[in-house]
Every structure is written in C-alpha cells, then in structure tokens.
C-alpha cells in the first residue's frame, strides 16, 4: 500500500490542522474514508461541537511547502497505512499518521530495541550502554533512542554500523541537542531519524514525553540503563508497558541516585539486564512467535452518514461528560445512542478543542 | 529445657569425637537417647561399620578443660535442645549441637537478619551495608554476619547499639581477622559471638563455608550486599535457600565485578533490596504468621535395640551404597530392612568414616 502524492498532502494537511492528534486523525479517517473528505467536514463538525471560533485547517500551500522542504532535506513522509511504515509502531493507539524520515527506510523494517537513560550518566552507565548497543547490533537489532546526551548518545554511537534510529522531539531541521548534529548525520547512513513534528518545529519540554511513545512504539523492548526518579526514561518505560512492549532495566547501586528509577522498575517486575543475552532471551521468542498485524479498526468503521446526531442526542451525550474520564462504551449505554452517533459527537467535541482522550477508550471534557 | 552439667560435658565429648558431625550427633542422640549412651556405643558401632582403627573418642578431661576455658572467657555452651539456643537455627538439618556463645544470650532470642558481602567492597557497598544494618537494627532486628573485612564489618559496626551477632569460623579465642578483635569486643555488649568450633581452633579455608550455614540458619533472611562470582557470600545465599530462608540481593552496576554475584541472584529470583523497607516487607509477615517449632525428629526416633543389624543385612545395605548419593528411603525399600536397621548401619559406617551425608536424605560411600 502506498498513498498517491495528492493523498499524502491531504494527510499532512489533516494532521497539521488544529485539535487533531493521532487518535482524532484515525477516527476521522475511519469516519470519512479519506483525509480529503475529513478536511471538508471539519468546519461543520467543529461548529457542532461548540467551537467558539472557526477551526484552523492547514492550508494546502503550507502542506505543499512542508513537502518541498522535506524533499530538499532528503526526508520522506511515510504514512501509517503504508508498507514502509514501521510495522510495530503502526500497532499503537496513537501512532503518528505521518512520520518524517531521513536516512535508510529499510532500517525501520528491522526489529528494534530501544536503549534509553539519563543525560548525566555515570561512566559505568555509558560504558554499559555502549556494550549493550554494540552486542544487540551484532545480534541484528536496530537500536532506537532519543539522541539525548548521556545514555542515548552512547547507544546511538555504538550502533552506527549496525543501524540505529533517532526519534526526534522537534522537526527534522531542529536537532536537539545541537551538539549531536554530527552524530545524527553519521547515523543516517545505516539508520534513520524520524519525527512526527513539522519541519521548523523547535522542541519544547512537553514534546519529549510525547516523543518517547514513538521510541517504545518502534521497539520490541525498551532497556532503561540509568534513570533517576521521575525521569523521562521512566515515562518511556511506562509507555512501553502500556503498549505491551517488554521493559528491561539495568541494576545499579542503591547509593546512586541515577539507579533509583531502574531499581524501582526492577522491583515492579522489569526484566533485569546485565548483558545482551538477557534481552535476547526475552525478545527472540516474541519475534519468533508473534506475527504483527496492524491494529484492527475499533468496533468496525462506520461509514459517513451512518447517522448524524441531532441536537437533543448531542446534548444528552455532552451532559454525560465531565472532567472525570468516562468510557466510550458507558456513553453509548447511558445515552441510548448508537456507537456511531456517540463517536461522531466525540469527534465534534474534539475538533472544537473540548474533548480529551485518555487512551483505553476513556474521554473527558476539557 | 536445660542440660545438667554432666550431660553438657557428654554432649561436648560426643561432638568433639572423630567422625561425628551435627547430623551424626542427632542420629546418635535419637538412637541412644543420651550422649553418654552414645559415647558408650561408639567403639562397637565403628568397628561394625568397618573402621580400620579404633574411633577416637574425646576424653572427658579434654571436654572438661574446654568447659573451663570457656568459663574463663565468659563463654557458655548452649545445647540445641535448650531454650537459650537460637530457635531458628535449631530448625536446620545440621544445627550445631553445641554453640559456644560470648556476649548477650538474649540477643540470640531476637529475630535476626544476616547482612553479608565481599571483603574488598566498594565505598558504595560499605555505605549501603551500614545504612541497611542501622535501619534494620532500628526496626528491632539483630544483624548476623561473619566478622569479615568489608561488608560484614560495616554491617556489624552499624548495628553495635541495636545488637549484632558474629558467627566465627574458628574458636572463640581465635578471632579472624585479628584486626577485628576490637570490633568483636565491642559487639559483645549488646550482641554475641557464636561458634561451633572448639577453643583454640584456628580457622582453615574450609571452615568458612561451613560456618556460613550458621549465619543463614540463625536468620529469617539473608541480604547479600556485594558479591563477585563464586564468592563465599553466594555460598551463604545457597545455604539460605536450602534452609528455606529468604534471600535478598542488592543490585549493582553490570560493569562492577562485585555486583556479578548479586545481580545473578536477582536474576534467579532473589528479592531486590534498595532500602530496609524492602526487607521488612518480606520478613514481617513471616514472623507474624509462622510459629517456629524445632525440627521434628525424622520418622520417629527408634529406641536403642529396635533391631540390631546382622552381618548379612549390613552387607546388603553396604552393597547398595556407592560413591553416588542415594536416598535413605531407597535404601530401606531396596534392602527390605526396616528404617531403623538401615539408619543403624549408616550410623556405623559414618562413625567408621566411610559415609558421607549430603542433606535431603542422601548418602554415599566415601
């Protein structure tokens, strides 16, 4: 499966429009069958959802300009429905509809293991990350990480030859930290840099946790080498768990604050890693047995017009919503409406910027 | 229960006689009802077992002299059948029949946790051992260890006030290492030093692993702080497992060889410890629920004369034995003799120095 150029521009416009995240994108696509149909319906949907001002839709010219910029930088947009899209990432709930990729697309087709950890890593942590990345690389795995200082950079460097993928929190032209621009350049020859963020996007603090779901989503398992309490690496671990990925942690001295997070993960049941074999023993049976299939669309995709909610129904559903997350299934049951109608109302609210989706089928009003 | 002085001397003579270890001691006591009766029967039993020269029985004078030496050094011999004997230690297979104790006998009645580890410990390991020992001491536990350099000494030092027990591999007057003579003196005021070895016994290499079973036997759980591969601390961990004690291990960097043993234990299922609460969470329910009872005598104690094996029976049983360990139950079944007869023949062989007991009811010819 491969999108036509025109369609790709529509995908890009849709995901770059206001109030549209990966989950909403997926709903819209299911609902309307195509990105262009969804784009057309957006203003009406948002108005019905109670938007106070018109929803900002990404203009075609902007999307085309981003496409051109990408081309000039040797970047490609790969859509989640396409064969070139990393299979494992496609299975997560909030997979980016489009990934901007530089480097070797083929690296994304190989099984990946993420190695992440603290920026101010210890010498022992850095040495171990290097050793592990090298050995997993030799075993045929691509190493995914976040290009950060410390553990991430050590893992990338040790797997330059075998292939490594950097997941960015900003645009392809906004490398963070800047000092790793050369490292990024080097990893493109056997690996790749990927991001869901637009060209020109300067990464903000909140973009890093969001980015971390892609690191774990790409991977069969995530190895946390060193992590303090409440660190970004633990967010990656939590996301990995939510995505059903294996979580590995490297033990460290209880005296070392950089091991608090990893020792905590071990207490919670993460697999202990002191050598590559520990990781391989867990992931190889998974790769051998499980055939990955892209996520099934939820509860069957209703076609457009399967029912347009009238004002009463909309009010009833909105009345059931509040700041506390509730299940969509409960909304269907309690409102007495069809699942298609409930989903449509939720979409409208979402596009109006009034709905938050929490994963696990939970939603709340903002 | 308390032994009469005369009986205590007989116990000492019996355990100080040749070819008599804790298991044989127990069998003899079960068989003959008292140490004095066993002492009387020894020459005959050993001759029947095929001893090539008369068995050396500890002379009364020697035992009395050891008793006097003990008294002068403020040491007491506590017998495994006495109330003052540490209850938990009494439950192991090869509990020392007599413990020479210096210091506070009452410390032996309190719940203990062992903290052991490498002699050439890291600064982090030492610091952690101290912190853990102090916190467990504050929680009411006595800390058991082996008085070795490194982790052991750190654990003793940090629990001097709360109470700590040093288990020696040599006699009470042969402190090893010598530099810890002052530490030992200091721990006697709230804790104790215990050993099964005779006064004057200089500890040899093989006495340390043997001693380790007492460290774990005394304790509800054993915490291994740092341990290289194939180190003495891992022997203590193995013995703890065999004795049904909890095994805890402190994680460390995979780069640090002193953590290889502990990380290995963690992979094998030892509980991970980064703070005292991790230990308490496991041992407190055990202490709350399990009422310790001294080990039941095996299969009922046959009285003397329950059957004396004739030569044929003895030959048949010996014929079933070889260098490979076999179960006593199997010997009973295969020989067609009663359990009492088989046990008597085994005792004779043991006293003749021809039998090895492996624990778990397994025996082999030497």
């Amino acid at each position: 499966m491969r999108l036509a150029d025109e369609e790709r521009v529509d995908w890009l416009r849709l995901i770059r429009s206001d109030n549209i995240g990966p989950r909403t994108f997926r709903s819209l696509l299911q609902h309307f069958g195509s990105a262009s149909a969804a784009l057309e319906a957006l203003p009406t949907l948002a108005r019905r959802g109670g938007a106070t001002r018109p929803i900002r839709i990404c203009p075609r010219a902007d999307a085309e300009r981003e496409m051109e910029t990408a081309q000039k930088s040797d970047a490609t947009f790969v859509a989640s429905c396409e064969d070139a899209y990393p299979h494992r990432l496609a299975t997560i709930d909030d997979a980016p509809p489009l990934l901007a990729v530089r480097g070797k697309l083929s690296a994304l087709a190989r099984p990946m293991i993420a190695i992440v950890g603290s920026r101010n890593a210890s010498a022992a942590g850095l040495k171990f990350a290097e050793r592990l990345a090298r050995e997993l690389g030799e075993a045929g795995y691509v190493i995914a990480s976040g290009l950060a200082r410390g553990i991430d950079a050590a893992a990338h460097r040790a797997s330059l030859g075998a292939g490594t993928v950097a997941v960015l929190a900003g645009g392809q032209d906004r490398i963070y930290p800047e000092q790793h621009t050369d490292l990024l350049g080097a990893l493109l020859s056997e690996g790749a840099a990927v991001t869901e963020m637009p060209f020109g996007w300067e990464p903000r603090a909140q973009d890093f946790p969001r980015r971390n779901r892609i690191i774990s989503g790409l991977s069969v398992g995530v190895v946390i080498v060193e992590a303090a309490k409440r660190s970004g690496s633990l967010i990656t671990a939590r996301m990995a768990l939510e995505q059903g990925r294996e979580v590995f942690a490297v033990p460290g001295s209880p005296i070392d604050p950089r091991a608090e997070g990893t020792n905590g993960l071990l207490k919670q049941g993460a697999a202990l890693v002191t050598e590559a074999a520990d990781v391989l023993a867990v992931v190889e049976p998974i790769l051998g047995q499980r055939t990955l299939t892209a996520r099934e669309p939820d509860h069957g995709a209703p076609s457009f017009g399967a029912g347009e909610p009238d004002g009463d129904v909309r009010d009833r559903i909105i009345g059931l919503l509040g700041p506390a997350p509730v299940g969509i299934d409960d909304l269907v049951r309690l409102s007495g409406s069809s699942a298609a109608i409930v989903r449509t109302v939720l979409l409208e609210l979402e596009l109006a910027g009034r709905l938050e989706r929490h994963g696990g089928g939970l939603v709340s009003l903002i």
Side-chain angles (χ1 to χ4, degrees), chain A residues 78-304:
Chain A
V78 181
S80 57
C81 61
E82 295 183 311
D83 296 337
Y85 195 87
H87 293 330
R88 209 164 286 271
L89 182 61
T91 65
I92 72 170
D93 239 16
D94 48 357
L98 284 172
L99 269 187
V101 182
R102 283 196 296 160
K104 252 195 170 153
L105 269 176
S106 62
L108 300 178
R110 289 166 52 200
M112 287 186 220
I113 291 169
I115 299 180
V116 299
S118 40
R119 286 189 297 274
N120 68 333
S122 70
L126 293 172
K127 193 172 156 189
F128 181 77
E130 275 168 22
R131 187 202 290 170
L132 186 70
R134 193 177 53 246
E135 289 176 6
L136 291 174
E138 284 163 4
Y141 291 86
V142 170
I143 304 303
S145 196
L147 202 71
R149 275 181 279 267
I151 300 297
D152 288 22
H156 284 307
R157 274 201 193 93
S159 53
L160 286 175
T164 183
V165 168
V167 184
L168 311 177
Q172 284 281 7
D173 51 352
R174 291 293 185 275
I175 303 312
Y176 181 88
E178 246 189 283
Q179 304 96 295
H180 287 171
T181 306
D182 287 353
L183 174 58
L184 189 82
L187 67 77
L188 295 181
S189 65
E190 293 302 323
V194 304
T195 184
E196 64 180 328
M197 304 309 275
F199 270 83
W201 186 275
E202 204 68 59
R204 305 154 304 170
Q206 64 262 45
D207 295 327
F208 291 90
R210 178 187 154 102
R211 179 275 313 264
N212 291 354
R213 84 184 196 287
I214 304 179
I215 297 179
S216 53
L218 284 167
S219 310
V220 196
V222 175
V223 184
I224 323 289
V225 177
E226 276 186 342
K229 265 186 190 166
R230 282 181 291 277
S231 62
S233 308
L234 296 186
I235 296 176
T236 311
R238 183 166 54 76
M239 287 173 170
L241 278 179
E242 285 174 13
Q243 295 165 352
R245 304 300 190 253
E246 300 300 320
V247 177
F248 301 88
V250 178
S253 164
I255 296 294
D256 187 349
R258 286 170 292 211
E260 275 186 51
T262 48
N263 287 338
L265 288 172
L266 291 171
K267 286 187 196 173
Q268 290 162 50
L272 191 141
V273 176
T274 61
E275 51 184 354
D278 297 325
V279 176
L280 298 176
V282 173
V283 302
E284 286 187 339
I286 295 173
L287 291 171
Q289 285 158 21
R290 231 185 269 168
T291 308
L292 275 171
T293 50
R295 193 186 176 74
E296 297 288 318
D298 327 324
H299 317 294
S303 62
F304 181 41

